[in-house]
């Protein structure tokens, strides 16, 4: 596959002038983040300073990456844009649709057969429009990107919330919805509110049981799931330079769990070593020539409080291994306090399953360190008391660790190797017995642990830790086991202690692979035909959403008032629903079925105001749509947290929901709603959430004069004849108001073609 050398050279060639102009515009030293952002402005050299958290800015990313579940809708939208080729280097990665059940070979074979129609569509549309295609089994998008495409100082957008993984190699890599990807592939600018900056200073050096994963687990505990919203997290300091490139990738990957726009590390010797180790010595040489521009200015790191909006300092020499959870990735426990937390909270101490790998922790370093513990278990006559699975991040990693004997070591301990895919991390796990809904505990080296995410069981207590801690606890079969201090009883009845894990950042023999799984696109795709069967239940060509009717919105019915956490998993579940990601009508049958109704504390049970009866959310909304009645969804804080999936915005739009009114939004979801022509509104007074009643009919006034910074008026007509009038804020700028009026951002692109 091509490494886009000419594109990277062009990026580096413009760095000196653009960064100098940016430094002059802001009249101070620059952070690394600012250097890369200013270097990617569409308007050329920076002529002004942008206000963090307020100024909307147009950027031109260098590349686009899409995973198969979200690529379907992104490419269905791109097909409507009227373009012959993508405007920037783009790739599709088939990693989400492979269900883990018995093992890699059988699971992959089954997935290829089950998803053939979708894979054929993605391969053909990629072939037609000049998009690189990574076949099923090639690996997880973020690991493949890190190994092949990420480069220091670049800017990438990806249709997955963990796109920031590439920040481990110094790239501003941001998760977006498919509509954003469509815009960039069509050659349009990509808009982002200029982010605030959080600096994380790392001092000291890790040792023993502590891993890079523990840095982000600690940060998540400090900032919580919304503490990074609207901000880019920049890591620096001697501790940062001591971490491997893949360790940095782990930290950046899971930065999505604090709501951060992205996370990034500067270019250093570890970055250069990884580039050379993955066959990109030419890129390392180019990066070396502009190295001063691939890190923040010295004055910034010497006095970070002056240049960042918030600064956190972590001493790696003192950092303990952490376990986060259950049910949320920001509930952080140092290993020394975790056993007591398990006992005091009544969480199931017996560990049923330990799972390592995923896009977050599937590097050679991760697997080699976990394998050192597995080897100890074999040598010390221990067998894993819990089920134990390994998910390699790419075929290159899998082939290499098999060659070096690690997979055989895991097998001796009782481990099962799954396909190079997301699998259990996103609910693509046919876990036997999960349907019994029994209370149980699992621990993973994944990134998310929302209720029901892994196996559909709301009583599965999912915890997150490093691969090393996951492996140790799986050997013990007990969440209260602390491998740093405790011993285990082996087959001979002896007390044995696990020694510190050991591993290598990269293989001494180098990486190897027979077939990486890449398919290059046709040089001329004009004669390539993209076939979508009109009778398919997996794929459906899109029709344009209707434009705004030009009036205020009257008589909207309250569909649901969601209570508490409402992530994109609650709005549009993954798992078995992934098969419908290319069929908007079918997947809309999962709309908001996981959201908790504030009026009855139930899921997928809302009052139908036309009949007075309670029914499923999608069915109720379809009745409103059939009668030509719009509706509104009300939500709590950080609504739309989690995955970048734009289906969570497209489904309500398709079914006739006109507005989402919440206390606060997660960044990606708010943008996705805007792109699809929805009204994304927040309570001017958060306590007004309590005024919304179950039988409300709602008017939205002020749309005929819809303007940036001007709140809209909502009138809540209650069932008893009374009413309340409240204000709702929004963050729409003029361009985004244009999306609303046109019916969607894509409608404007098509209008431009016409």
């Amino acid at each position: 596959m091509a490494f886009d050398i000419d594109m990277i050279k062009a990026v580096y060639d413009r760095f000196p002038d653009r960064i100098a102009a940016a430094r002059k515009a802001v009249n101070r030293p620059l952070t690394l983040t600012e250097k890369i952002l200013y270097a990617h402005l569409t308007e050329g050299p920076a002529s002004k300073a942008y206000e963090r958290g307020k100024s909307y800015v147009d950027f031109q990313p260098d590349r686009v990456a899409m995973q198969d579940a979200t690529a379907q809708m992104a490419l269905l939208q791109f097909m409507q844009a009227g373009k012959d080729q993508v405007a920037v280097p783009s790739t599709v990665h088939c990693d989400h649709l492979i269900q883990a059940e018995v093992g890699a070979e059988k699971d992959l074979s089954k997935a290829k057969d089950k998803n053939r129609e979708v894979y054929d569509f993605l391969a053909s549309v990629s072939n037609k429009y000049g998009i690189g295609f990574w076949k099923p089994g090639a690996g997880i998008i973020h690991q493949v990107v890190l190994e092949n495409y990420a480069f220091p100082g670049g800017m990438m957008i990806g249709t997955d919330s963990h796109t920031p993984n590439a920040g481990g190699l110094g790239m501003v890599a941001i998760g977006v919805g498919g509509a954003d990807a469509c815009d960039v592939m069509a050659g349009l600018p990509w808009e982002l509110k200029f982010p605030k900056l959080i600096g994380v200073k790392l001092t000291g050096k890790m040792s023993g049981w502590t891993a890079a994963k523990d840095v982000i687990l600690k940060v998540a505990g400090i900032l919580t799931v919304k503490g990074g919203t609207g901000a880019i997290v920049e890591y620096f300091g001697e501790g940062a330079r001591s971490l491997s490139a893949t360790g940095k990738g782990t930290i950046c990957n899971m930065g999505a769990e604090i709501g951060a726009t992205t996370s990034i590390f500067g270019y250093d010797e570890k970055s250069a070593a990884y580039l050379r180790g993955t066959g990109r010595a030419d890129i390392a040489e180019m990066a070396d020539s502009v190295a001063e521009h691939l890190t923040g200015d010295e004055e910034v790191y010497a006095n970070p409080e002056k240049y960042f909006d918030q600064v956190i300092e972590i001493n790696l020499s003192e950092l303990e291994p952490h376990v986060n959870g259950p049910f949320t990735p920001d509930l952080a426990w140092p290993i020394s306090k975790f056993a007591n937390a398990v006992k005091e909270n009544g969480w199931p101490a017996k560990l049923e399953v330990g799972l390592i790998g995923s896009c977050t922790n599937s590097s050679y370093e991760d697997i080699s360190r976990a394998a050192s513990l597995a080897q100890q278990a074999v040598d010390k006559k221990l067998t894993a008391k819990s089920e134990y699975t390994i998910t390699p991040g790419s075929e290159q990693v899998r082939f290499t660790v098999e060659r070096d004997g690690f997979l055989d070591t895991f097998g001796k301990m009782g481990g099962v190797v799954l396909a190079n895919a997301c699998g259990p991390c996103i609910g693509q796990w046919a876990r036997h017995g999960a349907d019994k809904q029994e209370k149980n505990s699992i621990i993973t080296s994944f990134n998310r642990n929302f209720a029901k995410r892994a196996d559909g069981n709301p009583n599965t207590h999912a915890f997150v830790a490093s691969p090393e801690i996951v492996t140790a606890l799986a050997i013990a079969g007990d969440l209260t086991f602390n491998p740093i201090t405790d011993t285990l009883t082996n087959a001979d009845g002896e007390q044995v202690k696990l020694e510190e894990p050991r591993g290598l950042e990269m293989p001494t023999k180098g990486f190897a692979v027979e077939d990486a799984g890449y398919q290059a696109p046709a040089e001329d795709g004009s004669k390539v035909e993209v076939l979508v069967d009109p009778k398919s239940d997996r794929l459906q060509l899109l029709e344009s959403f209707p434009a705004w009717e030009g009036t205020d919105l009257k008589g909207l019915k309250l569909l649901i008032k969601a209570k508490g956490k409402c992530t994109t998993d609650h709005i549009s579940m993954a798992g078995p629903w992934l098969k419908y990601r290319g069929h908007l009508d079918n997947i809309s049958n999962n709309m908001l079925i996981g959201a908790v109704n504030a009026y009855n504390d139930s899921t997928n049970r809302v009052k139908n105001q036309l009949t007075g009866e309670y029914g499923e959310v999608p069915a109720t909304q379809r009745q409103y749509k059939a009668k030509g009645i719009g509706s509104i969804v009300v939500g709590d804080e950080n609504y739309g947290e989690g995955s970048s999936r734009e289906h969570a915005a497209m489904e309500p739009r398709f079914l006739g929901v006109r507005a989402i009114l919440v206390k606060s939004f997660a960044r990606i979801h708010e943008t996705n709603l805007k792109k699809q022509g929805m009204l994304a509104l927040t309570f001017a007074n958060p306590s007004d959430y309590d005024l919304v009643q179950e039988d409300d009919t709602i008017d939205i006034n002020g749309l005929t004069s819809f303007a940036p910074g001007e709140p809209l008026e909502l009138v809540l007509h209650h069932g008893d004849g009374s009413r309340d009038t409240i204000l709702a804020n929004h963050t729409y700028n003029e361009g985004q108001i244009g999306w609303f009026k046109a019916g969607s951002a894509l409608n404007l692109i098509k209008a431009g073609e016409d």
Side-chain angles (χ1 to χ4, degrees), residues 708-731:
E710 295 294 325
L712 298 173
E713 179 188 81
L714 274 69
V715 182
L716 312 177
H717 299 276
H718 305 308
D720 62 3
S722 64
R723 68 180 187 178
D724 284 295
T725 300
I726 65 174
L727 292 180
N729 294 330
H730 64 84
T731 60

PDB file of all heavy atoms in Angstrom, residues 708-731:
ATOM      1  N   PRO A 708     -26.794  32.875  14.835  1.00  0.00           N
ATOM      2  CA  PRO A 708     -25.767  32.473  15.802  1.00  0.00           C
ATOM      3  C   PRO A 708     -25.887  33.252  17.107  1.00  0.00           C
ATOM      4  O   PRO A 708     -26.106  34.470  17.109  1.00  0.00           O
ATOM      5  CB  PRO A 708     -24.454  32.814  15.090  1.00  0.00           C
ATOM      6  CG  PRO A 708     -24.790  32.786  13.638  1.00  0.00           C
ATOM      7  CD  PRO A 708     -26.191  33.299  13.542  1.00  0.00           C
ATOM      8  N   GLY A 709     -25.772  32.527  18.215  1.00  0.00           N
ATOM      9  CA  GLY A 709     -25.768  33.162  19.528  1.00  0.00           C
ATOM     10  C   GLY A 709     -27.120  33.581  20.050  1.00  0.00           C
ATOM     11  O   GLY A 709     -27.231  34.038  21.201  1.00  0.00           O
ATOM     12  N   GLU A 710     -28.166  33.429  19.249  1.00  0.00           N
ATOM     13  CA  GLU A 710     -29.504  33.836  19.688  1.00  0.00           C
ATOM     14  C   GLU A 710     -30.296  32.605  20.117  1.00  0.00           C
ATOM     15  O   GLU A 710     -30.529  31.702  19.314  1.00  0.00           O
ATOM     16  CB  GLU A 710     -30.251  34.551  18.560  1.00  0.00           C
ATOM     17  CG  GLU A 710     -29.615  35.867  18.139  1.00  0.00           C
ATOM     18  CD  GLU A 710     -29.674  36.900  19.246  1.00  0.00           C
ATOM     19  OE1 GLU A 710     -30.665  36.921  20.009  1.00  0.00           O
ATOM     20  OE2 GLU A 710     -28.712  37.687  19.364  1.00  0.00           O
ATOM     21  N   PRO A 711     -30.738  32.544  21.384  1.00  0.00           N
ATOM     22  CA  PRO A 711     -31.484  31.371  21.839  1.00  0.00           C
ATOM     23  C   PRO A 711     -32.840  31.257  21.157  1.00  0.00           C
ATOM     24  O   PRO A 711     -33.377  32.247  20.629  1.00  0.00           O
ATOM     25  CB  PRO A 711     -31.631  31.610  23.346  1.00  0.00           C
ATOM     26  CG  PRO A 711     -31.477  33.080  23.529  1.00  0.00           C
ATOM     27  CD  PRO A 711     -30.540  33.538  22.456  1.00  0.00           C
ATOM     28  N   LEU A 712     -33.381  30.063  21.156  1.00  0.00           N
ATOM     29  CA  LEU A 712     -34.724  29.805  20.646  1.00  0.00           C
ATOM     30  C   LEU A 712     -35.689  29.678  21.819  1.00  0.00           C
ATOM     31  O   LEU A 712     -35.296  29.330  22.932  1.00  0.00           O
ATOM     32  CB  LEU A 712     -34.746  28.528  19.814  1.00  0.00           C
ATOM     33  CG  LEU A 712     -33.866  28.523  18.559  1.00  0.00           C
ATOM     34  CD1 LEU A 712     -33.850  27.140  17.920  1.00  0.00           C
ATOM     35  CD2 LEU A 712     -34.345  29.571  17.559  1.00  0.00           C
ATOM     36  N   GLU A 713     -36.952  29.954  21.554  1.00  0.00           N
ATOM     37  CA  GLU A 713     -37.981  29.855  22.588  1.00  0.00           C
ATOM     38  C   GLU A 713     -38.769  28.563  22.407  1.00  0.00           C
ATOM     39  O   GLU A 713     -39.189  28.231  21.301  1.00  0.00           O
ATOM     40  CB  GLU A 713     -38.938  31.050  22.486  1.00  0.00           C
ATOM     41  CG  GLU A 713     -40.064  31.016  23.507  1.00  0.00           C
ATOM     42  CD  GLU A 713     -41.097  32.094  23.260  1.00  0.00           C
ATOM     43  OE1 GLU A 713     -41.979  31.885  22.391  1.00  0.00           O
ATOM     44  OE2 GLU A 713     -41.021  33.150  23.921  1.00  0.00           O
ATOM     45  N   LEU A 714     -38.932  27.839  23.482  1.00  0.00           N
ATOM     46  CA  LEU A 714     -39.742  26.622  23.456  1.00  0.00           C
ATOM     47  C   LEU A 714     -40.932  26.790  24.383  1.00  0.00           C
ATOM     48  O   LEU A 714     -40.777  27.230  25.528  1.00  0.00           O
ATOM     49  CB  LEU A 714     -38.924  25.403  23.904  1.00  0.00           C
ATOM     50  CG  LEU A 714     -38.098  24.695  22.820  1.00  0.00           C
ATOM     51  CD1 LEU A 714     -36.944  25.549  22.349  1.00  0.00           C
ATOM     52  CD2 LEU A 714     -37.605  23.341  23.320  1.00  0.00           C
ATOM     53  N   VAL A 715     -42.098  26.450  23.881  1.00  0.00           N
ATOM     54  CA  VAL A 715     -43.318  26.496  24.685  1.00  0.00           C
ATOM     55  C   VAL A 715     -43.752  25.063  24.953  1.00  0.00           C
ATOM     56  O   VAL A 715     -43.993  24.286  24.011  1.00  0.00           O
ATOM     57  CB  VAL A 715     -44.438  27.268  23.971  1.00  0.00           C
ATOM     58  CG1 VAL A 715     -45.676  27.328  24.867  1.00  0.00           C
ATOM     59  CG2 VAL A 715     -43.971  28.677  23.608  1.00  0.00           C
ATOM     60  N   LEU A 716     -43.811  24.703  26.233  1.00  0.00           N
ATOM     61  CA  LEU A 716     -44.224  23.367  26.645  1.00  0.00           C
ATOM     62  C   LEU A 716     -45.703  23.401  26.985  1.00  0.00           C
ATOM     63  O   LEU A 716     -46.113  23.977  27.998  1.00  0.00           O
ATOM     64  CB  LEU A 716     -43.412  22.914  27.867  1.00  0.00           C
ATOM     65  CG  LEU A 716     -41.891  23.085  27.802  1.00  0.00           C
ATOM     66  CD1 LEU A 716     -41.258  22.659  29.135  1.00  0.00           C
ATOM     67  CD2 LEU A 716     -41.305  22.290  26.652  1.00  0.00           C
ATOM     68  N   HIS A 717     -46.522  22.820  26.132  1.00  0.00           N
ATOM     69  CA  HIS A 717     -47.960  22.732  26.388  1.00  0.00           C
ATOM     70  C   HIS A 717     -48.228  21.429  27.134  1.00  0.00           C
ATOM     71  O   HIS A 717     -48.087  20.340  26.560  1.00  0.00           O
ATOM     72  CB  HIS A 717     -48.740  22.757  25.075  1.00  0.00           C
ATOM     73  CG  HIS A 717     -48.543  24.019  24.273  1.00  0.00           C
ATOM     74  ND1 HIS A 717     -49.269  25.165  24.498  1.00  0.00           N
ATOM     75  CD2 HIS A 717     -47.671  24.304  23.263  1.00  0.00           C
ATOM     76  CE1 HIS A 717     -48.875  26.110  23.654  1.00  0.00           C
ATOM     77  NE2 HIS A 717     -47.903  25.612  22.887  1.00  0.00           N
ATOM     78  N   HIS A 718     -48.589  21.513  28.391  1.00  0.00           N
ATOM     79  CA  HIS A 718     -48.776  20.330  29.222  1.00  0.00           C
ATOM     80  C   HIS A 718     -50.172  19.731  29.033  1.00  0.00           C
ATOM     81  O   HIS A 718     -51.106  20.413  28.586  1.00  0.00           O
ATOM     82  CB  HIS A 718     -48.554  20.680  30.685  1.00  0.00           C
ATOM     83  CG  HIS A 718     -47.223  21.326  30.960  1.00  0.00           C
ATOM     84  ND1 HIS A 718     -46.030  20.776  30.544  1.00  0.00           N
ATOM     85  CD2 HIS A 718     -46.896  22.483  31.610  1.00  0.00           C
ATOM     86  CE1 HIS A 718     -45.026  21.551  30.921  1.00  0.00           C
ATOM     87  NE2 HIS A 718     -45.524  22.602  31.566  1.00  0.00           N
ATOM     88  N   GLY A 719     -50.296  18.487  29.409  1.00  0.00           N
ATOM     89  CA  GLY A 719     -51.549  17.772  29.228  1.00  0.00           C
ATOM     90  C   GLY A 719     -52.712  18.345  30.007  1.00  0.00           C
ATOM     91  O   GLY A 719     -53.875  18.176  29.623  1.00  0.00           O
ATOM     92  N   ASP A 720     -52.434  19.063  31.103  1.00  0.00           N
ATOM     93  CA  ASP A 720     -53.509  19.632  31.911  1.00  0.00           C
ATOM     94  C   ASP A 720     -53.935  21.013  31.438  1.00  0.00           C
ATOM     95  O   ASP A 720     -54.732  21.692  32.093  1.00  0.00           O
ATOM     96  CB  ASP A 720     -53.082  19.693  33.385  1.00  0.00           C
ATOM     97  CG  ASP A 720     -51.866  20.599  33.604  1.00  0.00           C
ATOM     98  OD1 ASP A 720     -51.392  21.218  32.631  1.00  0.00           O
ATOM     99  OD2 ASP A 720     -51.400  20.676  34.760  1.00  0.00           O
ATOM    100  N   GLY A 721     -53.404  21.459  30.304  1.00  0.00           N
ATOM    101  CA  GLY A 721     -53.775  22.756  29.765  1.00  0.00           C
ATOM    102  C   GLY A 721     -52.837  23.885  30.146  1.00  0.00           C
ATOM    103  O   GLY A 721     -52.896  24.967  29.556  1.00  0.00           O
ATOM    104  N   SER A 722     -51.964  23.665  31.122  1.00  0.00           N
ATOM    105  CA  SER A 722     -51.001  24.694  31.512  1.00  0.00           C
ATOM    106  C   SER A 722     -49.818  24.671  30.547  1.00  0.00           C
ATOM    107  O   SER A 722     -49.688  23.768  29.716  1.00  0.00           O
ATOM    108  CB  SER A 722     -50.522  24.462  32.943  1.00  0.00           C
ATOM    109  OG  SER A 722     -49.806  23.237  33.033  1.00  0.00           O
ATOM    110  N   ARG A 723     -48.938  25.667  30.682  1.00  0.00           N
ATOM    111  CA  ARG A 723     -47.771  25.684  29.807  1.00  0.00           C
ATOM    112  C   ARG A 723     -46.614  26.401  30.489  1.00  0.00           C
ATOM    113  O   ARG A 723     -46.802  27.205  31.403  1.00  0.00           O
ATOM    114  CB  ARG A 723     -48.086  26.341  28.472  1.00  0.00           C
ATOM    115  CG  ARG A 723     -48.359  27.831  28.537  1.00  0.00           C
ATOM    116  CD  ARG A 723     -48.654  28.367  27.153  1.00  0.00           C
ATOM    117  NE  ARG A 723     -48.764  29.816  27.134  1.00  0.00           N
ATOM    118  CZ  ARG A 723     -48.986  30.544  26.042  1.00  0.00           C
ATOM    119  NH1 ARG A 723     -49.139  29.929  24.874  1.00  0.00           N
ATOM    120  NH2 ARG A 723     -49.070  31.850  26.111  1.00  0.00           N
ATOM    121  N   ASP A 724     -45.421  26.077  30.029  1.00  0.00           N
ATOM    122  CA  ASP A 724     -44.198  26.748  30.462  1.00  0.00           C
ATOM    123  C   ASP A 724     -43.446  27.197  29.219  1.00  0.00           C
ATOM    124  O   ASP A 724     -43.420  26.487  28.200  1.00  0.00           O
ATOM    125  CB  ASP A 724     -43.298  25.808  31.279  1.00  0.00           C
ATOM    126  CG  ASP A 724     -43.813  25.600  32.700  1.00  0.00           C
ATOM    127  OD1 ASP A 724     -43.820  26.581  33.450  1.00  0.00           O
ATOM    128  OD2 ASP A 724     -44.188  24.457  33.028  1.00  0.00           O
ATOM    129  N   THR A 725     -42.830  28.363  29.313  1.00  0.00           N
ATOM    130  CA  THR A 725     -41.995  28.865  28.224  1.00  0.00           C
ATOM    131  C   THR A 725     -40.548  28.908  28.699  1.00  0.00           C
ATOM    132  O   THR A 725     -40.247  29.484  29.748  1.00  0.00           O
ATOM    133  CB  THR A 725     -42.445  30.269  27.791  1.00  0.00           C
ATOM    134  OG1 THR A 725     -43.809  30.208  27.343  1.00  0.00           O
ATOM    135  CG2 THR A 725     -41.568  30.785  26.652  1.00  0.00           C
ATOM    136  N   ILE A 726     -39.672  28.266  27.938  1.00  0.00           N
ATOM    137  CA  ILE A 726     -38.267  28.194  28.318  1.00  0.00           C
ATOM    138  C   ILE A 726     -37.394  28.623  27.143  1.00  0.00           C
ATOM    139  O   ILE A 726     -37.872  28.717  26.004  1.00  0.00           O
ATOM    140  CB  ILE A 726     -37.867  26.775  28.771  1.00  0.00           C
ATOM    141  CG1 ILE A 726     -37.981  25.779  27.610  1.00  0.00           C
ATOM    142  CG2 ILE A 726     -38.723  26.322  29.950  1.00  0.00           C
ATOM    143  CD1 ILE A 726     -37.476  24.382  27.936  1.00  0.00           C
ATOM    144  N   LEU A 727     -36.121  28.855  27.418  1.00  0.00           N
ATOM    145  CA  LEU A 727     -35.163  29.194  26.376  1.00  0.00           C
ATOM    146  C   LEU A 727     -34.205  28.031  26.151  1.00  0.00           C
ATOM    147  O   LEU A 727     -33.838  27.321  27.087  1.00  0.00           O
ATOM    148  CB  LEU A 727     -34.372  30.441  26.756  1.00  0.00           C
ATOM    149  CG  LEU A 727     -35.145  31.761  26.814  1.00  0.00           C
ATOM    150  CD1 LEU A 727     -34.214  32.900  27.214  1.00  0.00           C
ATOM    151  CD2 LEU A 727     -35.814  32.063  25.479  1.00  0.00           C
ATOM    152  N   ALA A 728     -33.815  27.874  24.901  1.00  0.00           N
ATOM    153  CA  ALA A 728     -32.852  26.833  24.544  1.00  0.00           C
ATOM    154  C   ALA A 728     -31.690  27.474  23.789  1.00  0.00           C
ATOM    155  O   ALA A 728     -31.900  28.236  22.833  1.00  0.00           O
ATOM    156  CB  ALA A 728     -33.510  25.765  23.683  1.00  0.00           C
ATOM    157  N   ASN A 729     -30.484  27.156  24.200  1.00  0.00           N
ATOM    158  CA  ASN A 729     -29.295  27.656  23.537  1.00  0.00           C
ATOM    159  C   ASN A 729     -28.871  26.711  22.414  1.00  0.00           C
ATOM    160  O   ASN A 729     -29.303  25.552  22.338  1.00  0.00           O
ATOM    161  CB  ASN A 729     -28.147  27.803  24.537  1.00  0.00           C
ATOM    162  CG  ASN A 729     -28.415  28.879  25.575  1.00  0.00           C
ATOM    163  OD1 ASN A 729     -29.115  29.856  25.294  1.00  0.00           O
ATOM    164  ND2 ASN A 729     -27.861  28.711  26.770  1.00  0.00           N
ATOM    165  N   HIS A 730     -27.986  27.203  21.572  1.00  0.00           N
ATOM    166  CA  HIS A 730     -27.432  26.381  20.495  1.00  0.00           C
ATOM    167  C   HIS A 730     -26.053  26.914  20.144  1.00  0.00           C
ATOM    168  O   HIS A 730     -25.674  28.017  20.559  1.00  0.00           O
ATOM    169  CB  HIS A 730     -28.339  26.414  19.258  1.00  0.00           C
ATOM    170  CG  HIS A 730     -28.461  27.773  18.633  1.00  0.00           C
ATOM    171  ND1 HIS A 730     -27.542  28.266  17.735  1.00  0.00           N
ATOM    172  CD2 HIS A 730     -29.383  28.769  18.802  1.00  0.00           C
ATOM    173  CE1 HIS A 730     -27.883  29.480  17.360  1.00  0.00           C
ATOM    174  NE2 HIS A 730     -29.001  29.822  18.003  1.00  0.00           N
ATOM    175  N   THR A 731     -25.300  26.130  19.386  1.00  0.00           N
ATOM    176  CA  THR A 731     -23.949  26.544  18.983  1.00  0.00           C
ATOM    177  C   THR A 731     -23.829  26.645  17.471  1.00  0.00           C
ATOM    178  O   THR A 731     -22.725  26.560  16.919  1.00  0.00           O
ATOM    179  CB  THR A 731     -22.902  25.549  19.514  1.00  0.00           C
ATOM    180  OG1 THR A 731     -23.164  24.244  18.973  1.00  0.00           O
ATOM    181  CG2 THR A 731     -22.916  25.484  21.040  1.00  0.00           C
TER     182      THR A 731
END
